[in-house]
Amino acid sequence: MTGTQNPPSSPTQSRNKKTLLVTGRTRLERLLHIGICSTFLGVDALKLAVKEAKCNKDTKRYIQAQGHLQTIGPNEPEARRDQGWIEATDKKNQAETNRLQTELNGYKHNLIKESIRMGNEDLGKQYQAMGDLPKASEAFSRMRQDISVSKHIIDVSLHLIEVAAEQKAWITVTSNVQKIRGILSSSDEDKSILPYLQAAEALASFDNGDYRNAAILFLGIDTGLGSTAATIISPNDVAIYGGLCALASMDRNELQKKVLENSSFRTYLELEPQIRRAIAFFVNSRYTACLSVLEAYRADYLLDIYLQKHIEEIYHMVRSKSIVQYFIPFSCVTLDSLNKAFSAPGKTIDKELAMMIQNHELNARINTIDKLLEAVPSNPRTELQRGALQITDDYAREARRRIMHMNASMGDLEVKGKRGAGHNNMGLSDDLFGESVGRELRSRGGG
């Protein structure tokens, strides 16, 4: 099988370009993540992180980025710590925080609810910009006490979602998404935040490892996401996360209908064509080409702040599915053909097949003498007998239940209520015991 995909010609440009698609604190977090995890992109990413940090108020993140850069690139101009900027920024942060706190105390003294709400919002934004996320979350939560209209509830929840996403507090993210969904109206303004909510909920499911639910949520995001969710996720991320989750958790028919034929998600797939190609290869049974595309981008995905800890498991799930799907049409396959399709040169797939068989992922056995992977023969007679026994057990269980109900009725042990004229005395039907037996039981119950 052919159709492999070469990796990006310039990993630096590819990864940095995607990082710049997000805004706010998440851009700095992603640059720091790349700088710490990558030996090839580390210096460039940390230089950008230092510049990004100096454009904001979080001195702790600046010190962290500068410290890592000083370790791996001590000769870079950005590696020298700007102590003057740190002291000046800390002083400004403290002065601004004190000013906002004083204003808020004044609003509380005058009992101006709207001003108190806005004061807490300003204070929360200040703490968030400084990197003090617990205090930011606390300040935003206090806004709930002075809410007067439903739009205020939406504003509070959006702030909490953004802070919780950075803290990776996904339960908080999900609960606030549900709160907003519960009060949304049909107005165009409210509908505009639906893609943001869908993306936040999908990201929560993805980071928790619920790939099936994450795939469904990502695939359901409307095309209006744009930059509305840029503080937590970009449209490119939607394509990558949604496509990989779908590959890992959906079969070929679902991939065709829910991914490739999904007009809304196709807009996102156009941003990451390698994901679309990988899915198309899998749907068309070109499993080697699919895995080759994914392997070409493994290094890139390992630098993603959310995808890194899941990439090995997702790739394993896709690879296992590919092997199973490859084997389904055959009663036996030579190990050489499997090695050629799924193994790197000089390596074998034997141990992986044995592990899949032990984990009940593959219903087969390995013939080490003839070098074959053989399907475990099924026994139609056994399956038929098992089905017949199951039907018998179900019939007997239902009969016992109805006899118990009949005895309870005859012993006057059931709570009696008004019954319609069209109902029999004990809810007994004639289809189980026969028409004559049913009439006899009803007559005895009535007597």
Side-chain angles (χ1 to χ4, degrees):
M1 296 182 184
T2 59
T4 59
Q5 173 70 29
N6 294 325
S9 57
S10 177
T12 304
Q13 293 180 358
S14 174
R15 174 50 52 185
N16 287 347
K17 186 182 294 184
K18 293 175 184 176
T19 302
L20 295 176
L21 293 174
V22 293
T23 60
R25 290 180 54 82
T26 187
R27 178 186 294 181
L28 176 58
E29 294 296 327
R30 293 183 184 224
L31 288 171
L32 269 173
H33 179 79
I34 296 171
I36 294 172
C37 297
S38 174
T39 56
F40 183 74
L41 303 176
V43 173
D44 292 330
L46 288 173
K47 287 169 65 176
L48 290 173
V50 169
K51 293 178 181 178
E52 182 73 20
K54 293 188 74 172
C55 294
N56 296 285
K57 302 178 180 181
D58 192 347
T59 56
K60 293 181 181 179
R61 280 289 182 262
Y62 166 76
I63 294 173
Q64 183 182 4
Q66 180 270 332
H68 286 294
L69 182 58
Q70 191 175 35
T71 301
I72 65 175
N75 298 325
E76 298 292 337
E78 293 85 353
R80 291 191 293 272
R81 179 170 297 183
D82 191 345
Q83 193 63 36
W85 177 86
I86 295 174
E87 294 175 356
T89 303
D90 284 339
K91 187 176 180 180
K92 289 180 182 178
N93 288 341
Q94 187 62 44
E96 180 67 11
T97 303
N98 291 338
R99 183 186 69 81
L100 292 173
Q101 188 64 58
T102 301
E103 289 183 355
L104 179 60
N105 292 336
Y107 298 146
K108 290 180 179 179
H109 180 73
N110 295 326
L111 300 177
I112 307 174
K113 294 189 66 174
E114 179 63 14
S115 298
I116 294 173
R117 185 187 66 82
M118 295 179 65
N120 278 314
E121 184 177 24
D122 292 338
L123 192 60
K125 290 180 179 179
Q126 172 68 8
Y127 282 132
Q128 185 179 4
M130 292 167 53
D132 195 342
L133 300 181
K135 287 187 177 180
S137 180
E138 183 180 344
F140 288 137
S141 297
R142 287 198 300 267
M143 293 172 62
R144 296 190 188 279
Q145 303 170 6
D146 303 288
I147 285 173
S148 56
V149 295
S150 60
K151 186 180 184 304
H152 295 164
I153 300 177
I154 296 175
D155 293 339
V156 172
S157 296
L158 289 176
H159 285 309
L160 291 174
I161 288 172
E162 187 174 329
V163 174
E166 187 173 349
Q167 293 177 307
K168 292 184 171 55
W170 302 115
I171 295 178
T172 303
V173 171
T174 304
S175 64
N176 280 280
V177 168
Q178 297 305 323
K179 286 178 183 177
I180 296 178
R181 288 187 188 277
I183 61 173
L184 278 181
S185 64
S186 58
S187 65
D188 293 337
E189 183 179 356
D190 286 348
K191 288 182 179 179
S192 64
I193 66 172
L194 284 175
Y196 177 91
L197 299 178
Q198 189 90 349
E201 191 174 10
L203 190 59
S205 293
F206 172 63
D207 203 67
N208 287 328
D210 188 355
Y211 302 131
R212 173 78 182 182
N213 189 51
I216 294 172
L217 290 170
F218 278 123
L219 296 176
I221 297 177
D222 291 333
T223 55
L225 181 66
S227 60
T228 58
T231 54
I232 58 173
I233 194 172
S234 70
N236 295 67
D237 294 332
V238 171
I240 295 173
Y241 301 163
L244 291 178
C245 287
L247 261 179
S249 60
M250 294 183 176
D251 58 32
R252 291 164 57 195
N253 291 331
E254 287 181 305
L255 288 172
Q256 178 66 39
K257 294 178 181 178
K258 296 182 179 180
V259 182
L260 297 181
E261 296 178 3
N262 186 333
S263 58
S264 298
F265 195 69
R266 190 182 302 124
T267 305
Y268 298 106
L269 284 180
E270 290 174 355
L271 302 174
E272 297 290 337
Q274 76 279 4
I275 296 293
R276 178 178 53 79
R277 283 194 293 270
I279 295 174
F281 285 146
F282 188 90
V283 170
N284 294 323
S285 302
R286 299 177 62 185
Y287 306 114
T288 303
C290 170
L291 296 177
S292 297
V293 171
L294 296 182
E295 283 299 325
Y297 285 83
R298 178 192 288 266
D300 198 41
Y301 296 154
L302 283 171
L303 297 180
D304 187 277
I305 191 171
Y306 295 114
L307 192 55
Q308 184 187 62
K309 70 176 184 178
H310 298 284
I311 196 64
E312 295 298 334
E313 183 178 359
I314 289 175
Y315 273 37
H316 171 73
M317 293 173 68
V318 176
R319 181 176 172 84
S320 298
K321 282 177 57 180
S322 299
I323 294 174
V324 171
Q325 292 293 321
Y326 180 91
F327 180 63
I328 283 177
F330 308 103
S331 59
C332 65
V333 176
T334 63
L335 295 180
D336 290 338
S337 64
L338 287 171
N339 288 328
K340 184 178 179 180
F342 296 103
S343 294
K347 296 184 179 180
T348 63
I349 199 175
D350 299 26
K351 291 184 178 179
E352 185 176 359
L353 292 175
M355 187 65 66
M356 290 178 63
I357 293 172
Q358 289 179 354
N359 295 335
H360 304 288
E361 297 175 5
L362 183 63
N363 188 23
R365 58 191 179 193
I366 301 174
N367 184 340
T368 56
I369 298 176
D370 299 324
K371 300 295 182 182
L372 296 173
L373 180 68
E374 300 175 343
V376 176
S378 60
N379 190 334
R381 177 177 295 180
T382 302
E383 295 296 328
L384 180 61
Q385 291 175 345
R386 185 180 293 111
L389 290 174
Q390 182 63 43
I391 293 174
T392 303
D393 291 340
D394 293 342
Y395 185 88
R397 189 182 304 108
E398 180 66 14
R400 285 194 298 270
R401 186 187 69 81
R402 295 197 178 210
I403 292 173
M404 185 181 299
H405 182 222
M406 178 190 68
N407 291 334
S409 298
M410 294 176 63
D412 200 22
L413 298 176
E414 67 175 354
V415 178
K416 297 184 180 295
K418 293 183 179 180
R419 295 175 179 172
H423 292 79
N424 57 40
N425 287 342
M426 291 177 290
L428 299 173
S429 63
D430 297 336
D431 57 350
L432 180 64
F433 299 103
E435 184 177 358
S436 60
V437 177
R439 284 199 301 269
E440 175 66 20
L441 292 175
R442 286 197 296 273
S443 63
R444 292 176 61 184

